[in-house]
Amino acid sequence: MTSPQPSFRQPPGPKDPVALGIDPETLETLRWLQREYGDMVSVYRPNGRLAYFVNDAAEVHRILARRHAKYRKGPGFERVKMLLGNGLIVSDGDVWRRSRRMIQPAFGRQNIHRLTDVMVQCSQRREQHWAALAKRDEACNITSETSDFALELILVSIFSSDYHERIVTQGENPFTFLSRDSTRDLSVVMKVRRLRELLTSIIEDRKSGKRIEQFDFLSMYLQAEDKDGNGFSDDELLDELMTLIVAGFETSANTLNWVWYLLAKYPEVEAKIIAEAELHLPDIGAVNSDALMAMEYTQQVLEEALRLYPPVWLFTRRSHEEDELEDYDVPPGTDIYLSPFVLQRTAHYWPNPNEFDPDRFLASDGNKKDRPFFPFSLGPRRCVGEYFSFMEMKVHLGLLLPRFRMQLVDESEPSLELGINLRSANDIVMKPTQR
Ligand code: HEM
């Protein structure tokens, strides 16, 4: 354990070492630290490293936005690194800055609007499947349905027709294990290697002009240039594509999973979304960016679901320069833990924090900006796919909810699985009937 300098201003905290990871025990530990020591807590991890748990809205904003340059990504990203190499989520410093500048234009609103047709097609595929289930009086596993929806959507948004022609050639989607297989053993390494080989051959064909030019993320990434006019190398491109797939589907899938659960529990909220969808999306042809933007109540519901169940429930950072938070010193090398899950359920900011109430996000509420809400992070590293995800979730709900009444097979509240992503520990199963 490092012994602090006499003048070192350290936040309060326990004397004994405290284990922190990205796991369920850590949530309990963070809640205990908050109860016992307040909003800024210091601990020594078993490896002797100093760590701060920051649960104050202004300080979280300072770390992620105003003073972001003093921080890098923190511990707990090992598994993600194995999958994503040096892609946008895990890279830092100049490498990250260059990639972010190259990728950002692909996520401009105009481009996302061009992808709404894909969002509609993927929702229609769920609709057909659910209609068949309803007809046979069978239950629907919402957890795998939302996962299949979001995975298919991101893959078609990246690869267009290559998705059907090159990726799901034998009816099997080789990416599915990313959401269903939580074991990280050698077989996963092999599967990831095979995926990278598949992507390499798709990229080669695109580059050689064997495939016609299509509008998708792959074309946009192939055209992206840095300030010196250079594009991504093949390895960089692979890392960025894997990053887009992994970052782009599980988060939205998990959010939708929770939304379906919440709507089944709150029929009055469900009725309001249906009314909004019937007004703005009376038929498939009406789905466009204006209609989706007008769905303000659905937006509130999604935000409230993200407050209660933020998929990225815990972020870590590591300081690489000295900083000061409140009246405390932050030496270089300090691990920082920030939890949207804990902060967004802190009563001081959000009264009755465990209650689901979409009216908290009324557009007219002027106090909204003072309450901590950062499911997409904040500052320059804020999620690049935020707008895409709201659009896809609105299309999914707006098309499916008015068509199906969904009844929970098991009414009890699902327990949480707290890994890199916050999921329901058990699958949510519902009985669909056509309205
Ligand atoms: C509800 C849906 C989503 C949530 C809650 C979410 C959340 C986040 C969060 C919290 C981060 C920052 C993590 C950190 O700083 O440690 C992030 C980064 C990122 N997200 Fe999302 N995300 C969502 C959907 C998406 C989608 C749909 C895409 C792509 C289509 C995407 C692509 C990315 C990328 C590429 C980054 C890295 C950005 C950077 O470091 O510059 N995300 N996301």
Side-chain angles (χ1 to χ4, degrees), residues 73 77 88-89 96 100 107 154 217 243-244 247-249 251-252 255 306 311-312 315-317 374-377 380-386 388-389 392-393:
K73 292 270 167 150
F77 276 93
L88 203 58
I89 283 206
W96 165 77
R100 177 88 189 205
F107 287 86
I154 195 67
F217 281 117
T243 297
L244 195 51
F249 92 94
T251 39
S252 304
T255 309
L306 285 161
V312 187
F315 310 158
T316 63
R317 292 290 187 265
F374 58 116
F376 296 96
S377 187
R381 295 210 71 152
R382 187 175 179 132
C383 176
V384 79
E386 178 173 347
F388 179 96
S389 74
E392 75 173 291
M393 294 191 286

Side-chain angles (χ1 to χ4, degrees), residues 135-412:
K135 210 166 164 196
R136 297 199 299 266
D137 202 23
E138 283 177 22
C140 170
N141 182 328
I142 274 291
T143 308
S144 47
E145 287 295 311
T146 49
S147 181
D148 289 349
F149 163 76
L151 180 59
E152 185 181 47
L153 172 60
I154 195 67
L155 290 174
V156 179
S157 305
I158 297 174
F159 300 109
S160 310
S161 62
D162 284 333
Y163 170 72
H164 294 290
E165 289 162 26
R166 303 286 301 276
I167 296 178
V168 282
T169 44
Q170 271 110 39
E172 283 267 310
N173 185 340
F175 287 91
T176 314
F177 79 96
L178 291 173
S179 68
R180 305 221 170 118
D181 185 351
S182 46
T183 55
R184 297 288 155 223
D185 57 19
L186 201 62
S187 76
V188 173
V189 177
M190 295 306 291
K191 284 181 192 164
V192 171
R193 191 172 298 161
R194 276 201 292 277
L195 285 185
R196 291 178 77 95
E197 282 163 11
L198 174 62
L199 298 191
T200 305
S201 85
I202 295 177
I203 293 168
E204 274 167 8
D205 284 358
R206 284 279 183 110
K207 279 186 161 174
S208 69
K210 273 194 212 149
R211 308 284 300 173
I212 19 156
E213 203 47 52
Q214 317 200 45
F215 176 77
D216 53 27
F217 281 117
L218 176 54
S219 316
M220 292 189 269
Y221 278 29
L222 280 167
Q223 284 158 19
E225 285 183 353
D226 64 16
K227 61 179 178 1
D228 302 319
N230 298 316
F232 284 124
S233 70
D234 287 353
D235 276 347
E236 287 168 346
L237 190 57
L238 270 180
D239 286 349
E240 293 306 346
L241 292 177
M242 286 300 287
T243 297
L244 195 51
I245 297 164
V246 170
F249 92 94
E250 225 191 322
T251 39
S252 304
N254 288 331
T255 309
L256 284 172
N257 185 41
W258 290 112
V259 169
W260 281 104
Y261 165 76
L262 288 165
L263 294 179
K265 287 281 185 185
Y266 294 84
E268 66 291 355
V269 174
E270 185 190 54
K272 283 173 84 172
I273 300 196
I274 294 174
E276 192 170 70
E278 282 169 347
L279 179 67
H280 297 293
L281 310 178
D283 53 62
I284 300 277
V287 181
N288 61 39
S289 54
D290 288 342
L292 295 170
M293 303 266 254
M295 292 169 67
E296 287 183 8
Y297 187 71
T298 311
Q299 177 78 24
Q300 285 174 227
V301 171
L302 292 169
E303 288 178 352
E304 176 67 345
L306 285 161
R307 182 187 71 80
L308 283 173
Y309 300 104
V312 187
W313 67 280
L314 180 65
F315 310 158
T316 63
R317 292 290 187 265
R318 184 168 286 168
S319 60
H320 73 109
E321 277 177 38
E322 241 165 61
D323 196 9
E324 208 174 88
L325 295 173
E326 289 185 351
D327 291 330
Y328 303 113
D329 297 315
V330 184
T334 308
D335 286 344
I336 307 282
Y337 286 79
L338 311 167
S339 172
F341 186 92
V342 177
L343 196 49
Q344 292 172 185
R345 287 185 186 235
T346 296
H348 159 64
Y349 297 110
W350 296 98
N352 304 319
N354 296 323
E355 219 167 81
F356 175 65
D357 176 10
D359 287 345
R360 298 176 198 267
F361 285 93
L362 270 172
S364 56
D365 183 348
N367 296 326
K368 231 174 40 168
K369 61 178 185 347
D370 301 327
R371 302 191 195 113
F373 180 66
F374 58 116
F376 296 96
S377 187
L378 300 167
R381 295 210 71 152
R382 187 175 179 132
C383 176
V384 79
E386 178 173 347
Y387 186 69
F388 179 96
S389 74
F390 279 122
M391 289 286 158
E392 75 173 291
M393 294 191 286
K394 283 182 182 174
V395 173
H396 174 100
L397 292 173
L399 293 184
L400 291 165
L401 202 55
R403 289 167 176 75
F404 296 96
R405 179 170 293 112
M406 302 297 275
Q407 234 179 338
L408 283 168
V409 168
D410 175 359
E411 291 275 333
S412 53

